[in-house]
């Protein structure tokens, strides 16, 4: 549903957008649903420049690997537009435009380090810009730059649309792989974390439509509570029943036979299948292995980083300790307590039963099979 303040605006969005809207892109800028406030408040934050969008990504107003990739591409367009309107003369030196493209790209890719989708999307935008600029010698005029702006806008929409299509294909492949019974998911991988529909949560959505004989377990995902606040909110909006559990409950539920599969998303997948995802994913994979339960990863091809051989090379984000020391702004530890907020972990490939992508389901041995599906 469109919020009432946007009723009259021209919205830029691909065809198959989801009913759950993590953002709206209009002529004026980007309206981001503030995910820090969900599920208590459904409020949009307005971003009309790069700094605002970068800060929103850094502070997790918008989060989830594919979502921050798409929002970076949109941020790229918005800032390029601002640059164009700031130009005083009719012509500008090419190297000045290149400098601006470099600045925009750097600021966006450094907003968060672990999800590869961010630099993947920004490098697509950068490539469009540099290929276009190559056609000119020393100078370029405003109307030519306007053409580049249009190309950039098209590319950002394409990145968004491709992600939705990838999610729908992932859901189609994944719906046939899940067993009946209890399905546990971690963090949030739904429409809020992607261009729409979701990856792991998309599969759960599709599987539920096909076969109601499942019990969806959502873990809280401390400290940011993506499970309790975001996945639970999405399932509630979709009218899909779920049961929330504390992060600590997973092992014992597996022992009791209440969980028949675990499915999660990914922030970066190395060439050998090692997977970076929200902290706590590794623990679930170890527990699943111990209890002989399949452990699945669902991700679009934009999440693979074939330049990284193994998971240990993936940069892991360390976030502010206050996220661990508080819960919804209330202090939960003594005043001078110290905390270590390691935001992601790496699940080694041997703990992963299959990786579900839009190109098909990849099974081990991953070193051999990933290149058959994912090309650089
Ligand atoms: O810190 P976040 O909330 O951005 O982390 C998100 C995750 O770890 C998701 O599982 C991942 O990005 C996949 S989203 C489809």
């Amino acid at each position: 549903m469109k919020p009432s303040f946007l009723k009259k605006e021209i919205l830029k969005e691909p065809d198959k957008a989801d009913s759950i809207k993590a953002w709206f892109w209009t002529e004026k800028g980007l309206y981001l649903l503030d995910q820090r406030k969900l599920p208590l408040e459904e409020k949009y934050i307005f971003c009309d420049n790069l700094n605002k969008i970068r800060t929103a990504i850094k502070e997790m107003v918008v989060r989830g690997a594919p979502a921050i990739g798409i929002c970076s591409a949109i941020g790229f367009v918005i800032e390029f537009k601002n640059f164009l309107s700031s130009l005083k003369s009719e012509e500008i030196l090419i190297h000045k435009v290149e400098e601006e493209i470099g600045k925009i790209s750097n600021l966006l890719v450094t907003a968060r380090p672990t999800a590869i989708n961010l630099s993947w999307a920004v490098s697509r935008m950068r490539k469009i810009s540099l290929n276009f600029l190559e056609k000119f010698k020393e100078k370029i005029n405003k109307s030519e730059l306007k053409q580049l702006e249009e190309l950039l806008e098209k590319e950002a929409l394409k990145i968004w649309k491709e992600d939705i299509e990838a999610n729908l294909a992932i859901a189609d492949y994944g719906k046939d792989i899940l067993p009946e019974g209890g399905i546990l998911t971690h963090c949030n991988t739904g429409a809020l974390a992607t261009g729409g529909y979701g990856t792991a949560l998309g599969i759960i959505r599709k599987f539920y439509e096909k076969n109601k004989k499942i019990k969806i377990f959502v873990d809280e995902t401390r400290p940011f509570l993506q499970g309790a606040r975001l996945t639970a909110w999405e399932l509630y909006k979709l009218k899909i029943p779920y049961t929330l559990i504390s992060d600590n409950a997973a092992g014992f539920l597996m022992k009791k036979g209440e969980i028949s599969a675990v499915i999660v998303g990914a922030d970066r997948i190395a060439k050998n299948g090692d997977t970076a995802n929200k902290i706590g994913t590794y623990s679930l994979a170890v527990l699943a292995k111990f209890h002989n339960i399949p452990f699945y990863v669902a991700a679009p091809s934009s999440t693979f980083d074939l330049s990284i051989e193994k998971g240990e090379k993936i940069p892991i984000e360390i976030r502010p300790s206050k996220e661990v020391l508080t819960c919804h702004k209330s202090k939960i530890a003594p005043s001078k307590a110290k905390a270590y907020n390691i935001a992601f972990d790496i699940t080694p490939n041997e703990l992963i039963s299959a990786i579900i992508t839009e190109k098909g389901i990849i099974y081990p041995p991953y070193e051999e099979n990933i290149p058959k599906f994912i090309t650089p």
Side-chain angles (χ1 to χ4, degrees):
M1 262 261 300
K2 226 184 277 181
S4 54
F5 63 87
L6 280 176
K7 286 258 153 65
K8 287 189 206 112
E9 307 252 351
I10 306 152
L11 299 178
K12 296 171 203 248
E13 67 178 7
D15 300 342
K16 293 176 219 139
D18 208 281
S19 60
I20 293 170
K21 308 269 187 198
W23 61 81
F24 290 95
W25 184 15
T26 79
E27 296 298 337
K28 288 188 189 148
L30 186 62
Y31 293 82
L32 291 167
L33 180 58
D34 191 344
Q35 298 191 26
R36 298 167 307 177
K37 297 207 159 68
L38 288 172
L40 304 181
E41 278 175 70
E42 290 178 31
K43 239 181 158 171
Y44 284 82
I45 284 190
F46 179 57
C47 301
D48 56 358
N49 65 41
L50 179 70
N51 271 340
K52 287 184 192 165
I53 293 173
R54 184 177 193 271
T55 307
I57 292 173
K58 220 174 150 54
E59 294 182 356
M60 291 171 62
V61 170
V62 61
R63 31 64 49 203
I68 59 179
I70 300 162
C71 287
S72 299
I74 297 173
F76 199 112
V77 180
I78 291 174
E79 191 62 11
F80 188 77
K81 239 173 145 172
N82 290 344
F83 168 69
L84 271 193
S85 7
S86 73
L87 293 180
K88 303 260 175 328
S89 56
E90 263 316 296
E91 276 196 325
I92 177 166
L93 292 167
I94 290 285
H95 83 88
K96 290 273 174 209
V97 185
E98 286 170 348
E99 249 172 57
E100 182 66 18
I101 298 293
K103 190 193 89 189
I104 297 174
S105 306
N106 272 340
L107 281 167
L108 286 167
V109 295
T110 52
R112 290 193 74 190
T114 303
I116 185 71
N117 310 60
L118 196 63
S119 52
W120 171 85
V122 171
S123 75
R124 271 180 67 163
M125 301 300 283
R126 202 161 171 264
K127 201 164 156 199
I128 294 281
S129 316
L130 300 183
N131 284 349
F132 182 85
L133 294 174
E134 233 174 48
K135 291 185 260 159
F136 300 88
K137 284 218 171 79
E138 204 189 332
K139 287 181 175 175
I140 185 164
N141 67 35
K142 272 189 179 171
S143 77
E144 288 157 344
L145 283 171
K146 187 80 195 151
Q147 286 172 35
L148 174 55
E149 184 196 308
E150 280 157 22
L151 286 179
L152 288 171
E153 190 175 301
K154 267 197 197 138
E155 186 70 0
L157 278 167
K158 195 163 164 228
I159 290 173
W160 184 359
K161 189 171 182 201
E162 281 172 11
D163 188 63
I164 299 171
E165 279 162 2
N167 291 342
L168 295 171
I170 288 172
D172 239 20
Y173 283 115
K175 72 174 190 313
D176 300 324
I177 206 179
L178 286 183
E180 285 183 354
I183 307 293
L184 172 62
T185 190
H186 183 58
C187 195
N188 171 262
T189 58
L192 291 171
T194 61
Y197 205 76
T199 56
L201 198 61
I203 293 176
I204 292 176
R205 273 170 84 164
K206 225 359 181 292
F207 187 62
Y208 177 77
E209 271 167 31
K210 184 186 111 169
N211 184 345
K212 303 261 183 312
K213 285 191 212 136
I214 57 163
K215 182 163 182 184
I216 303 166
F217 286 103
V218 174
D219 71 13
E220 286 177 293
T221 323
R222 271 284 295 158
F224 195 71
L225 298 170
Q226 287 94 332
R229 298 190 303 101
L230 310 178
T231 302
W233 180 79
E234 281 199 39
L235 290 170
Y236 154 77
K237 288 268 170 187
L238 295 165
K239 301 191 172 55
I240 298 178
Y242 65 89
T243 301
L244 185 64
I245 59 169
S246 70
D247 294 321
N248 306 331
F252 194 54
L253 287 182
M254 287 183 193
K255 167 123 183 79
K256 277 160 51 80
E258 292 195 35
I259 292 174
S260 49
V262 180
I263 184 159
V264 299
D267 282 79
R268 196 185 294 223
I269 303 174
K271 206 174 169 185
N272 71 344
D274 290 352
T275 295
N277 192 48
K278 182 51 53 196
I279 191 75
T281 303
Y282 170 65
S283 320
L284 289 177
V286 172
L287 283 170
K289 185 77 167 183
F290 184 79
H291 293 96
N292 216 4
I293 291 166
F295 181 90
Y296 298 117
V297 169
S301 47
S302 56
T303 304
F304 285 77
D305 184 353
L306 300 183
S307 74
I308 283 186
E309 295 288 332
K310 290 178 178 179
E312 63 206 33
K313 292 264 156 54
I314 299 176
I316 298 291
E317 180 178 14
I318 308 297
R319 293 196 53 84
S321 52
K322 69 167 191 269
E323 288 174 1
V324 172
L325 296 170
T326 57
C327 190
H328 257 266
K329 292 199 178 144
S330 303
K331 276 190 188 171
I332 55 164
S335 298
K336 293 208 171 125
K338 288 202 172 88
Y340 182 36
N341 190 4
I342 182 160
F344 295 93
D345 58 29
I346 310 287
T347 299
N349 61 6
E350 68 261 30
L351 299 181
I352 301 169
S353 312
I355 305 175
I356 306 150
T357 75
E358 80 278 21
K359 312 231 174 190
I361 302 178
I362 313 179
Y363 290 98
Y366 293 113
E367 284 92 341
E368 202 179 304
N369 291 337
I370 286 177
K372 293 184 192 154
F373 290 81
I374 312 292
T375 43

